[in-house]
Amino acid sequence: MAEPLFELPRARLRFDPADPVLARAAWSRIAEPGDPVAGALVGNLGPVDAFDWLLDAARAPDRAGAVLRRIGGLPAVVQSAAGHAEAPGHVRGAVAEGPSASGARAAELVVAAVLRWAPRLERLDPEGELAVLGRYGGTFLTPDHPGWPTTFAGLGATAPLALWVRGDPDLARLAARSVSLVGSRACTGYGVRVTRDLACGLADRGFTVVSGGAAGIDAEAHRGALVSGVPTVAFLAGGVDRLYPASSTELLLRTVSQGAVVSEVPPGSVPGKQRFLKRNRLIAAFTAGTVVVEAALRSGALSTANHAASLLRPLGAVPGPVTSMASSGCHELLRRGAAVCVTDAAEAAELVGDVGETAPARQGETRPGDDLDPAGKAVLDALPVRKPAHERSVARTAGLALADTTGALGLLELMGLAEQKDGGWRRR
């Protein structure tokens, strides 16, 4: 028998594992964000039974695959989850139990999961972490909370197990009419200007502006919403008690007061590269559509774009100067046809279809004479700007009969587009 990974008696745990809220809070510490095996287990068993099973599995890791005999249907769930997001810590050749290749693969993933989760069991303190959240006036959201955004359902087994929120806890309302604006930290003046215009324009249209709270494009997106007086939501890669980056602390505190700062990891959690990348799936799933404002080819913002595309959410990209490396990622999205070209807030709102409503047709620049019939347009084009021309000359230039030209000239005069002078006609 394999050596136990966890030996602490149940009675000596720092919390009551039978409490579903505490069990779910514990799971948000045990599993890294987006872990499909944890999502499958908690989704099938519930947080309490899943935690109870984990304690047993950690004491006898060589029998962890026995869960497949206890839970009907889990192999397919885990296998499907692993198909689009390989579980971290994956171990080839681990113990496999089950009658099929699918069952063996699921058992392998479960055993690997136990190996990486067990080290975090001994120091679990969900009550302490909830107390920290309480000191910041925060809210712990679970999927059965009325404020939970149903938009996360598209993430399947990689949906967040819980959310730690500072600010407005009604994320469902904030998500109902929202657009995410993302981009590089190393942005240019062009990117700053476009982001502010987009954020303010979307705010004027009643959209919640969502981003990742980082420096650069993210910060400008939040700032534009705050200036416009509408809610904005920032998804963090670390705990909500550690506002990161430090340069954005004041901005994020204003976001708390006017919207929400959200994380799927408990207070005290440190942001890391993988957590930033995992965080991006929440930004894409939370909103009705995503716009990449400025991003280089290796920008993390492109992972948000990829998540939006995989979720079949509308994706837009703002073009930049063709010589700008800062916009090369946006240009690649446009070149591949993965994103729609977005140049202003009206196009961004149109991209998401005004959140389920039919968006009005985009009105471009209107010019005098746009609503004329073909004869009127031909006559208007034929009129000289300076020296007046006789009606017959205008008719010849327009390629129309004299009677049609005379009628069109009368209409143009009424519209203020033409005038008679010195026995002829010219434009006004």
Side-chain angles (χ1 to χ4, degrees), residues 254-332:
R254 291 175 59 199
T255 298
V256 169
S257 65
Q258 194 168 304
V261 169
V262 185
S263 177
E264 61 182 318
V265 293
S269 299
V270 178
K273 181 178 180 181
Q274 293 306 309
R275 286 179 176 174
F276 277 111
L277 293 174
K278 293 294 185 181
R279 177 275 314 269
N280 290 342
R281 82 191 194 286
L282 301 186
I283 297 174
F286 184 82
T287 57
T290 296
V291 177
V292 184
V293 182
E294 191 175 50
L297 284 173
R298 293 182 60 83
S299 170
L302 296 184
S303 74
T304 308
N306 291 333
H307 284 299
S310 67
L311 291 167
L312 302 181
R313 302 288 170 83
L315 176 63
V318 175
V322 295
T323 55
S324 174
M325 295 302 293
S327 291
S328 56
C330 294
H331 296 160
E332 178 62 16

Side-chain angles (χ1 to χ4, degrees), residues 156-412:
T158 63
L161 299 174
L163 294 172
W164 305 75
V165 184
R166 287 177 65 182
D168 189 345
D170 193 355
L171 297 186
R173 178 181 58 82
L174 294 174
R177 187 178 177 83
S178 60
V179 175
S180 55
L181 299 179
V182 297
S184 297
R185 291 175 174 81
C187 59
T188 67
Y190 166 80
V192 169
R193 184 172 66 254
V194 172
T195 305
R196 289 179 181 174
D197 290 344
L198 283 172
C200 292
L202 287 168
D204 291 343
R205 291 166 171 80
F207 286 91
T208 298
V209 176
V210 179
S211 199
I217 297 299
D218 288 14
E220 294 304 327
H222 295 304
R223 191 169 287 116
L226 292 169
V227 168
S228 301
V230 302
T232 182
V233 177
F235 282 93
L236 304 186
V240 294
D241 60 328
R242 296 190 174 192
L243 300 182
Y244 181 88
S247 59
S248 296
T249 298
E250 183 179 351
L251 179 66
L252 291 172
L253 287 174
R254 291 175 59 199
T255 298
V256 169
S257 65
Q258 194 168 304
V261 169
V262 185
S263 177
E264 61 182 318
V265 293
S269 299
V270 178
K273 181 178 180 181
Q274 293 306 309
R275 286 179 176 174
F276 277 111
L277 293 174
K278 293 294 185 181
R279 177 275 314 269
N280 290 342
R281 82 191 194 286
L282 301 186
I283 297 174
F286 184 82
T287 57
T290 296
V291 177
V292 184
V293 182
E294 191 175 50
L297 284 173
R298 293 182 60 83
S299 170
L302 296 184
S303 74
T304 308
N306 291 333
H307 284 299
S310 67
L311 291 167
L312 302 181
R313 302 288 170 83
L315 176 63
V318 175
V322 295
T323 55
S324 174
M325 295 302 293
S327 291
S328 56
C330 294
H331 296 160
E332 178 62 16
L333 290 173
L334 294 170
R335 190 183 71 82
R336 291 192 287 109
V340 174
C341 181
V342 170
T343 62
D344 58 23
E347 290 180 350
E350 182 181 357
L351 173 73
V352 298
D354 209 15
V355 193
E357 300 175 8
T358 302
R362 176 73 190 281
Q363 298 296 319
E365 181 185 0
T366 58
R367 298 179 180 180
D370 281 353
D371 55 351
L372 291 171
D373 62 15
K377 291 179 179 179
V379 171
L380 182 61
D381 288 343
L383 283 174
V385 177
R386 295 180 181 176
K387 186 177 180 181
H390 193 274
E391 287 183 16
R392 292 184 182 278
S393 175
V394 175
R396 283 195 299 270
T397 303
L400 297 173
L402 181 60
D404 292 337
T405 301
T406 301
L409 285 169
L411 178 61
L412 293 173

Side-chain angles (χ1 to χ4, degrees), residues 36 40 73-86 102 105-106 109 156-158:
L74 183 60
V77 174
V78 176
Q79 188 72 10
S80 174
H84 78 272
E86 182 69 55
S102 176
R105 173 73 173 129
L109 289 171
T158 63

Side-chain angles (χ1 to χ4, degrees), residues 25-111:
W27 271 107
S28 73
R29 170 64 72 185
I30 293 167
E32 280 297 299
D35 188 325
V37 183
L41 280 167
V42 174
N44 278 261
L45 292 176
V48 172
D49 286 346
F51 185 79
D52 185 60
W53 169 81
L54 176 58
L55 291 179
D56 290 338
R59 291 186 176 92
D62 57 339
R63 296 202 307 270
V67 70
L68 301 177
R69 293 194 296 269
R70 177 179 168 187
I71 313 164
L74 183 60
V77 174
V78 176
Q79 188 72 10
S80 174
H84 78 272
E86 182 69 55
H90 167 56
V91 179
R92 291 283 178 186
V95 176
E97 299 179 23
S100 66
S102 176
R105 173 73 173 129
E108 181 182 312
L109 289 171
V110 169
V111 173

